[in-house]
Amino acid sequence: MPQYLVCNYMPDDFDPSTVTEAMIEEIHALNREMIAAGIRKFACGIAPPANAKTVRKKSDGKVLVTDGPYTETKEHMGGFWILECANMDEALAWARKGAISCDAVGEVRELLFFPAPDQEPGGSK
């Protein structure tokens, strides 16, 4: 069954002190519902972009590490779920609930595995 990344975005000036106990409970309730449905594989929040590091391969083969996220934006990823759903429509149904409970814009993308981690290219083991 396909897996999907369902993430939410927060404005860069997001103030965590605005998160209410009611919102936290709503998010916990959604997580409990996802677990009960058997679709949640993983979920977490992530640190703000000020704590991010970007890695970039240079032409000499070395890797440059810089402070901050790769792109300049006014929003950043605030957290995500990894869900195993039958299809995009089912993942979107859960994402709608996430947008409501987190009061945040979000994104849904199918996770791609090429080839499966336990297989060699070409499908043989």
Side-chain angles (χ1 to χ4, degrees):
M1 193 171 328
Q3 293 185 4
Y4 296 86
L5 169 71
V6 176
C7 62
N8 61 46
Y9 295 108
M10 310 304 288
D12 278 348
D13 62 355
F14 175 72
D15 179 0
S17 71
T18 63
V19 176
T20 65
E21 288 295 322
M23 180 185 281
I24 292 170
E25 179 48 39
E26 194 171 346
I27 293 168
H28 287 325
L30 176 58
N31 276 296
R32 289 189 295 269
E33 184 181 356
M34 289 175 172
I35 292 166
I39 58 104
R40 194 188 93 170
K41 299 301 172 191
F42 184 80
C44 69
I46 58 174
N51 298 355
K53 300 289 184 190
T54 297
V55 293
R56 178 178 288 111
K57 180 182 172 188
K58 298 178 3 179
S59 60
D60 64 3
K62 294 182 180 176
V63 175
L64 174 67
V65 179
T66 56
D67 290 337
Y70 172 67
T71 58
E72 294 287 328
T73 65
K74 294 187 182 338
E75 296 178 324
H76 62 274
M77 189 184 303
F80 64 91
W81 291 275
I82 302 294
L83 306 181
E84 190 170 74
C85 299
N87 53 44
M88 177 63 84
D89 289 338
E90 183 183 359
L92 285 168
W94 288 105
R96 285 182 183 95
K97 292 181 179 194
I100 292 168
S101 66
C102 295
D103 190 23
V105 174
E107 182 176 340
V108 179
R109 292 194 197 187
E110 185 174 353
L111 299 179
L112 305 175
F113 300 96
F114 299 110
D118 61 345
Q119 295 182 347
E120 294 178 19
S124 63
K125 276 195 168 197

